[in-house]
Protein backbone atom coordinates (compact mmCIF):
# COMPACT_ATOMS: atom_id res chain seq x y z
CA UNK A 1 0.00 0.00 0.00
CA UNK A 2 1.23 3.47 -0.88
CA UNK A 3 0.41 6.29 1.53
CA UNK A 4 1.03 9.91 0.57
CA UNK A 5 0.97 12.51 3.35
CA UNK A 6 0.77 16.20 2.48
CA UNK A 7 2.18 18.35 5.26
CA UNK A 8 3.95 21.61 6.06
CA UNK A 9 5.99 19.78 8.72
CA UNK A 10 7.64 16.76 7.05
CA UNK A 11 10.21 16.37 9.84
CA UNK A 12 7.46 15.34 12.25
CA UNK A 13 7.29 12.05 10.31
CA UNK A 14 11.02 11.21 10.55
CA UNK A 15 10.80 9.06 13.67
CA UNK A 16 7.46 7.61 12.70
CA UNK A 17 8.82 6.37 9.36
CA UNK A 18 12.03 4.85 10.69
CA UNK A 19 11.18 3.30 14.07
CA UNK A 20 9.62 0.11 15.34
CA UNK A 21 6.89 -1.74 13.46
CA UNK A 22 6.20 0.96 10.86
CA UNK A 23 9.93 1.34 10.17
CA UNK A 24 10.22 -2.41 9.60
CA UNK A 25 7.09 -2.52 7.40
CA UNK A 26 8.61 0.12 5.13
CA UNK A 27 11.97 -1.72 5.01
CA UNK A 28 10.12 -4.91 4.08
CA UNK A 29 8.23 -3.00 1.38
CA UNK A 30 4.84 -3.87 2.84
CA UNK A 31 3.95 -0.18 2.92
CA UNK A 32 5.38 2.93 1.29
CA UNK A 33 5.05 6.31 3.00
CA UNK A 34 5.60 9.27 0.71
CA UNK A 35 5.86 12.56 2.60
CA UNK A 36 5.01 15.52 0.38
CA UNK A 37 6.11 18.96 1.56
CA UNK A 38 3.29 21.37 0.72
CA UNK A 39 5.86 24.19 0.82
CA UNK A 40 7.39 22.79 -2.39
CA UNK A 41 4.17 23.83 -4.14
CA UNK A 42 4.16 27.41 -2.87
CA UNK A 43 5.39 29.38 -5.86
CA UNK A 44 5.33 32.98 -4.65
CA UNK A 45 8.42 34.86 -3.46
CA UNK A 46 7.85 34.14 0.24
CA UNK A 47 6.59 30.57 -0.28
CA UNK A 48 3.49 31.49 1.66
CA UNK A 49 1.31 28.47 2.53
CA UNK A 50 -1.34 30.20 4.67
CA UNK A 51 -3.29 33.42 4.75
CA UNK A 52 -5.84 35.28 6.89
CA UNK A 53 -9.44 34.03 6.66
CA UNK A 54 -12.03 35.91 4.59
CA UNK A 55 -14.55 37.36 7.03
CA UNK A 56 -11.89 37.88 9.67
CA UNK A 57 -11.44 36.30 13.12
CA UNK A 58 -9.20 33.50 14.30
CA UNK A 59 -5.92 32.15 12.99
CA UNK A 60 -4.57 31.32 9.57
CA UNK A 61 -6.06 29.19 6.79
CA UNK A 62 -3.98 27.06 4.42
CA UNK A 63 -4.12 28.48 0.89
CA UNK A 64 -5.79 26.42 -1.84
CA UNK A 65 -3.23 26.70 -4.70
CA UNK A 66 -0.34 24.73 -3.10
CA UNK A 67 -2.76 21.98 -2.04
CA UNK A 68 -4.39 21.69 -5.48
CA UNK A 69 -0.93 21.53 -7.07
CA UNK A 70 0.43 18.98 -4.57
CA UNK A 71 -2.63 16.78 -5.07
CA UNK A 72 -1.92 16.62 -8.81
CA UNK A 73 1.28 14.68 -8.01
CA UNK A 74 -0.35 11.89 -5.98
CA UNK A 75 -3.17 9.34 -6.33
CA UNK A 76 -5.71 7.29 -4.42
CA UNK A 77 -8.55 8.26 -2.09
CA UNK A 78 -7.94 11.68 -0.54
CA UNK A 79 -8.47 11.91 3.22
CA UNK A 80 -8.54 15.12 5.21
CA UNK A 81 -8.17 14.94 8.99
CA UNK A 82 -10.45 17.28 10.93
CA UNK A 83 -12.84 17.28 13.89
CA UNK A 84 -15.69 17.61 11.34
CA UNK A 85 -15.00 14.16 9.90
CA UNK A 86 -16.46 10.72 10.56
CA UNK A 87 -14.95 9.36 13.76
CA UNK A 88 -12.12 6.93 13.04
CA UNK A 89 -12.38 3.39 14.41
CA UNK A 90 -11.26 -0.16 13.67
CA UNK A 91 -14.02 -0.61 11.10
CA UNK A 92 -12.79 2.40 9.09
CA UNK A 93 -9.20 1.11 9.39
CA UNK A 94 -10.25 -2.31 8.06
CA UNK A 95 -11.92 -0.71 5.03
CA UNK A 96 -8.98 1.59 4.25
CA UNK A 97 -6.39 -1.20 4.41
CA UNK A 98 -7.97 -2.58 1.19
CA UNK A 99 -6.91 0.54 -0.78
CA UNK A 100 -3.86 0.34 -3.04
CA UNK A 101 -3.02 4.01 -2.50
CA UNK A 102 -4.32 6.76 -0.22
CA UNK A 103 -3.42 10.40 0.30
CA UNK A 104 -3.81 12.17 3.63
CA UNK A 105 -3.84 15.96 3.87
CA UNK A 106 -2.51 17.02 7.27
CA UNK A 107 -3.86 20.53 7.74
CA UNK A 108 -2.36 22.96 10.23
CA UNK A 109 -3.55 26.16 11.95
CA UNK A 110 -7.29 26.71 11.40
CA UNK A 111 -7.40 24.17 8.58
CA UNK A 112 -7.50 24.30 4.80
CA UNK A 113 -9.52 26.35 2.31
CA UNK A 114 -12.91 24.63 2.02
CA UNK A 115 -12.70 24.60 -1.79
CA UNK A 116 -10.03 21.90 -1.52
CA UNK A 117 -12.34 19.82 0.67
CA UNK A 118 -15.23 20.23 -1.74
CA UNK A 119 -13.25 19.50 -4.93
CA UNK A 120 -10.63 16.97 -3.85
CA UNK A 121 -11.40 15.30 -0.53
CA UNK A 122 -13.14 11.91 -0.63
CA UNK A 123 -13.30 11.35 3.11
CA UNK A 124 -12.99 13.61 6.14
CA UNK A 125 -11.82 11.73 9.23
CA UNK A 126 -11.69 12.78 12.90
CA UNK A 127 -9.63 10.81 15.41
CA UNK A 128 -11.79 12.01 18.31
CA UNK A 129 -13.65 14.89 19.90
CA UNK A 130 -10.76 17.17 20.81
CA UNK A 131 -8.87 19.89 19.00
CA UNK A 132 -5.23 19.53 17.92
CA UNK A 133 -2.78 22.04 16.47
CA UNK A 134 -2.43 20.07 13.26
CA UNK A 135 -3.42 17.00 11.28
CA UNK A 136 0.02 15.36 11.45
CA UNK A 137 -0.71 13.27 14.55
CA UNK A 138 -4.10 12.17 13.19
CA UNK A 139 -2.35 11.18 9.94
CA UNK A 140 0.09 9.04 11.94
CA UNK A 141 -2.75 7.53 13.96
CA UNK A 142 -4.60 6.53 10.80
CA UNK A 143 -1.48 5.18 9.06
CA UNK A 144 -0.47 3.23 12.17
CA UNK A 145 -3.87 1.61 12.62
CA UNK A 146 -4.10 0.66 8.92
CA UNK A 147 -0.52 -0.57 8.59
CA UNK A 148 -0.69 -3.16 11.34
CA UNK A 149 -3.65 -4.75 9.53
CA UNK A 150 -1.64 -5.29 6.35
CA UNK A 151 -0.54 -8.94 6.09
CA UNK A 152 3.05 -9.45 7.27
CA UNK A 153 3.34 -6.21 9.27
CA UNK A 154 2.55 -8.00 12.55
CA UNK A 155 1.76 -11.67 13.16
CA UNK A 156 -1.80 -12.84 12.67
CA UNK A 157 -1.89 -13.95 16.32
CA UNK A 158 -1.19 -10.35 17.39
CA UNK A 159 -4.12 -8.75 15.61
CA UNK A 160 -6.54 -11.59 16.27
CA UNK A 161 -6.08 -10.76 19.93
CA UNK A 162 -6.94 -7.10 19.37
CA UNK A 163 -9.67 -5.38 21.25
CA UNK A 164 -12.34 -4.85 18.59
CA UNK A 165 -11.23 -7.81 16.47
CA UNK A 166 -13.61 -9.91 18.54
CA UNK A 167 -15.67 -6.94 19.71
CA UNK A 168 -14.38 -7.14 23.29
CA UNK A 169 -11.72 -5.32 25.27
CA UNK A 170 -8.39 -7.10 25.90
CA UNK A 171 -7.85 -9.29 28.95
CA UNK A 172 -4.98 -8.32 31.29
CA UNK A 173 -1.48 -9.42 30.22
CA UNK A 174 1.45 -10.38 32.43
CA UNK A 175 5.07 -11.33 31.79
CA UNK A 176 7.97 -12.57 33.89
CA UNK A 177 8.78 -12.46 36.77
CA UNK A 178 5.82 -14.40 38.21
CA UNK A 179 6.33 -12.45 41.45
CA UNK A 180 7.76 -8.95 41.84
CA UNK A 181 8.04 -7.31 45.28
CA UNK A 182 5.26 -9.54 46.52
CA UNK A 183 3.02 -8.78 43.51
CA UNK A 184 1.94 -12.07 41.96
CA UNK A 185 0.48 -12.80 38.55
CA UNK A 186 -2.89 -14.62 38.63
CA UNK A 187 -2.23 -18.25 39.53
CA UNK A 188 -4.21 -19.70 36.61
CA UNK A 189 -1.71 -18.23 34.10
CA UNK A 190 1.20 -20.23 35.55
CA UNK A 191 -0.88 -23.41 36.00
CA UNK A 192 -0.24 -24.81 32.51
CA UNK A 193 -3.96 -25.64 32.21
CA UNK A 194 -4.73 -24.17 28.81
CA UNK A 195 -8.48 -24.67 28.91
CA UNK A 196 -8.63 -22.84 32.27
CA UNK A 197 -6.40 -20.06 30.90
CA UNK A 198 -8.62 -19.59 27.84
CA UNK A 199 -11.73 -19.40 30.01
CA UNK A 200 -10.12 -16.97 32.45
CA UNK A 201 -9.12 -14.68 29.58
CA UNK A 202 -12.57 -14.70 27.99
CA UNK A 203 -14.11 -13.98 31.38
CA UNK A 204 -11.72 -11.07 32.05
CA UNK A 205 -12.44 -9.66 28.57
CA UNK A 206 -16.17 -9.89 29.22
CA UNK A 207 -15.80 -8.31 32.68
CA UNK A 208 -13.79 -5.35 31.44
CA UNK A 209 -16.11 -4.77 28.52
CA UNK A 210 -19.16 -5.00 30.79
CA UNK A 211 -17.71 -2.57 33.34
CA UNK A 212 -15.91 -0.12 31.03
CA UNK A 213 -17.59 -0.28 27.62
CA UNK A 214 -21.13 -1.63 27.92
CA UNK A 215 -21.83 -0.02 24.52
CA UNK A 216 -19.51 -2.58 22.88
CA UNK A 217 -21.21 -5.46 24.63
CA UNK A 218 -24.60 -4.40 23.27
CA UNK A 219 -23.33 -4.87 19.69
CA UNK A 220 -21.58 -8.18 20.40
CA UNK A 221 -23.24 -11.55 19.80
CA UNK A 222 -21.99 -13.98 22.45
CA UNK A 223 -21.47 -17.64 21.57
CA UNK A 224 -22.45 -20.45 23.95
CA UNK A 225 -19.19 -20.53 25.93
CA UNK A 226 -19.09 -16.73 26.18
CA UNK A 227 -22.66 -16.68 27.48
CA UNK A 228 -21.84 -19.24 30.16
CA UNK A 229 -18.69 -17.35 31.20
CA UNK A 230 -20.57 -14.04 31.14
CA UNK A 231 -23.16 -15.37 33.59
CA UNK A 232 -20.44 -16.78 35.86
CA UNK A 233 -18.68 -13.43 35.76
CA UNK A 234 -21.87 -11.53 36.72
CA UNK A 235 -22.42 -13.92 39.61
CA UNK A 236 -18.85 -13.46 40.84
CA UNK A 237 -19.17 -9.67 40.61
CA UNK A 238 -22.34 -9.77 42.74
CA UNK A 239 -20.74 -12.06 45.33
CA UNK A 240 -17.75 -9.71 45.64
CA UNK A 241 -20.03 -6.75 46.25
CA UNK A 242 -21.75 -8.44 49.24
N1 LIG B 1 -7.42 18.95 13.93
N2 LIG B 1 -9.09 14.61 14.30
C1 LIG B 1 -6.45 19.67 11.77
C2 LIG B 1 -7.97 18.01 14.79
C3 LIG B 1 -8.29 16.65 14.33
C4 LIG B 1 -9.01 15.68 15.07
C5 LIG B 1 -7.42 20.30 14.36
C6 LIG B 1 -6.91 18.64 12.64
C7 LIG B 1 -7.09 21.34 13.39
C8 LIG B 1 -6.38 21.97 11.18
N3 LIG B 1 -8.00 16.08 13.18
N4 LIG B 1 -6.77 20.97 12.10
N5 LIG B 1 -9.52 15.80 16.27
O1 LIG B 1 -8.23 18.32 15.92
O2 LIG B 1 -8.50 14.84 13.16
Amino acid sequence: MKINILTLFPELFQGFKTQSIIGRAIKNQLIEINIVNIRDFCFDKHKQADDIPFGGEGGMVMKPEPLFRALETVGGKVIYTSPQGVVFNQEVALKLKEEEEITIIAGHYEGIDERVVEEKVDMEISIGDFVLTGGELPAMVIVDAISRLIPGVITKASYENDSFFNGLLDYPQYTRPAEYMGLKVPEVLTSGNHKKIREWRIKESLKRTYLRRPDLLEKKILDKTEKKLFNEMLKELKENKN
Side-chain angles (χ1 to χ4, degrees), residues 114-126:
E114 191 66 20
R115 287 169 288 185
V116 180
V117 182
E118 279 167 10
E119 293 295 317
K120 293 288 178 187
V121 171
D122 298 301
M123 198 178 183
E124 216 167 327
I125 295 180
S126 166

Side-chain angles (χ1 to χ4, degrees), residues 80-84 106-112 125-136 138:
Y80 175 53
T81 56
S82 93
Q84 285 74 46
H108 225 85
Y109 319 115
E110 294 298 304
I112 66 177
I125 295 180
S126 166
I127 62 158
D129 292 338
F130 39 78
V131 182
L132 301 165
T133 59
E136 284 78 13

Side-chain angles (χ1 to χ4, degrees), residues 215-237:
D215 58 307
L216 293 179
L217 214 44
E218 264 166 50
K219 287 181 239 163
K220 161 94 179 158
I221 301 159
L222 300 181
D223 66 25
K224 218 172 136 198
T225 323
E226 287 166 339
K227 262 186 203 147
K228 176 184 143 249
L229 294 167
F230 183 75
N231 288 324
E232 282 180 26
M233 178 275 292
L234 280 184
K235 207 170 138 226
E236 284 164 21
L237 275 180

